[in-house]
Amino acid sequence: MSDLQKKNILVTGCTSGIGLEVSKLLHELDYGLLLVGRNEEKTRSVSAQLGNALYYTCDLRDSGKIKDIFSYCQKSGVMLGGMIHCAGCGKSMPIRCIQEKEVKEPMQVHYYAFLELCRYFYNKKISCDGSSIIAVSSIGSITKRKGSVAYTASKNALNTAVSIASKEFLKRGIRVNAIQPAYVDTRMTEDLESLVDIKKQQPMGLISPRDVAYMIEFLLSEKSRYITGAFIPISAGMEV
């Protein structure tokens, strides 16, 4: 696999939070990018900021559209050397109030979409042997905080997919890992601050998205070439 091929990375959820920050870091490090976002205008704007990187607009809540991302890869002559699934959603809600939609949406975005992304990524016409896949899970899948049943269930489903994919993809030397951040300084955390005493739970404070991006880049790189099937917590002191 050439250095150029190894550096083409697909990033979902590229327009905000961890996805945006890891896209910026990878651009700084001369990786090639295929940015995937739900909003056309925002995704195009991020692409322009990052040297007119390749981008594709896709709503991951629609599984049937995910194959089109990889058709675009082939049409663009891009072989992928990595994939980072950062797209996320979900809100705090107690079980007594939750509705079907609030359960289905995070499950679709975090779990079903990841399965479809992996299914297409595994194709030898799409990805290089020895590639790396990283999923952004959550330390909440361990702590199981009150009011997070839909979000936590979807992240635990994602964890299961990561564990099994890491075994099934060994034949091609594709590594599959997940990171499990605690509270990160993103818009999603802003929505939680009125409900959760973050400083009390997380003594080292909110995690910057850039620090999460550093861990993701490590898992993409050859420095982690023997790591697969791992779940790496970024706890900032949160007890688990």
Side-chain angles (χ1 to χ4, degrees):
M1 175 169 48
S2 72
D3 288 341
L4 178 63
Q5 288 174 327
K6 287 171 68 175
K7 288 188 175 183
N8 290 323
I9 310 299
L10 188 159
V11 183
T12 71
C14 68
T15 61
S16 64
I18 294 169
L20 176 58
E21 199 61 40
V22 76
S23 298
K24 290 178 179 178
L25 176 63
L26 296 182
H27 173 67
E28 292 166 14
L29 296 174
D30 294 323
Y31 284 81
L33 293 169
L34 173 56
L35 306 171
V36 177
R38 186 173 69 183
N39 181 286
E40 168 73 25
E41 183 178 351
K42 290 181 180 179
T43 308
R44 184 173 64 248
S45 175
V46 173
S47 168
Q49 293 172 42
L50 303 181
N52 292 315
L54 289 174
Y55 75 92
Y56 193 83
T57 306
C58 180
D59 188 339
L60 298 180
R61 294 174 298 183
D62 185 350
S63 297
K65 299 291 186 183
I66 291 174
K67 66 180 185 299
D68 297 336
I69 299 169
F70 298 93
S71 296
Y72 177 72
C73 276
Q74 290 184 291
K75 289 176 184 176
S76 302
V78 172
M79 281 287 285
L80 295 171
M83 180 169 68
I84 309 164
H85 185 41
C86 299
C89 65
K91 59 180 72 172
S92 290
M93 188 173 295
I95 291 172
R96 67 182 183 275
C97 300
I98 204 159
Q99 301 294 318
E100 185 176 7
K101 178 183 177 182
E102 281 81 28
V103 176
K104 283 186 172 181
E105 186 170 14
M107 191 65 76
Q108 176 63 53
V109 173
H110 301 152
Y111 173 59
Y112 293 129
F114 181 71
L115 290 180
E116 283 293 279
L117 289 162
C118 287
R119 185 162 73 88
Y120 289 105
F121 184 92
Y122 190 78
N123 188 326
K124 286 189 175 184
K125 295 179 181 179
I126 296 294
S127 64
C128 307
D129 290 349
S131 296
S132 177
I133 297 172
I134 300 104
V136 177
S137 182
S138 171
I139 208 165
S141 63
I142 304 170
T143 61
K144 297 176 175 60
R145 175 179 51 82
K146 289 189 295 184
S148 68
V149 65
Y151 180 82
T152 298
S154 68
K155 291 296 190 180
N156 273 294
L158 172 64
N159 294 348
T160 298
V162 167
S163 291
I164 294 173
S166 71
K167 298 170 183 176
E168 294 184 359
F169 288 13
L170 280 174
K171 185 176 181 180
R172 293 193 54 211
I174 296 174
R175 298 180 296 109
V176 188
N177 295 291
I179 59 167
Q180 296 177 313
Y183 295 120
V184 181
D185 190 7
T186 65
R187 187 174 64 248
M188 188 177 292
T189 302
E190 288 174 6
D191 295 338
L192 280 171
E193 286 184 305
S194 62
L195 302 172
V196 178
D197 187 345
I198 292 174
K199 291 181 180 178
K200 184 176 180 181
Q201 292 190 30
Q202 197 162 299
M204 296 174 72
L206 282 174
I207 301 162
S208 77
R210 175 55 63 122
D211 285 294
V212 179
Y214 289 142
M215 179 58 72
I216 292 172
E217 197 279 325
F218 167 74
L219 290 171
L220 280 176
S221 74
E222 289 297 304
K223 296 187 287 290
S224 62
R225 64 186 179 272
Y226 294 111
I227 300 175
T228 192
F231 296 86
I232 300 178
I234 307 175
S235 70
M238 181 183 288
E239 291 187 12
V240 296

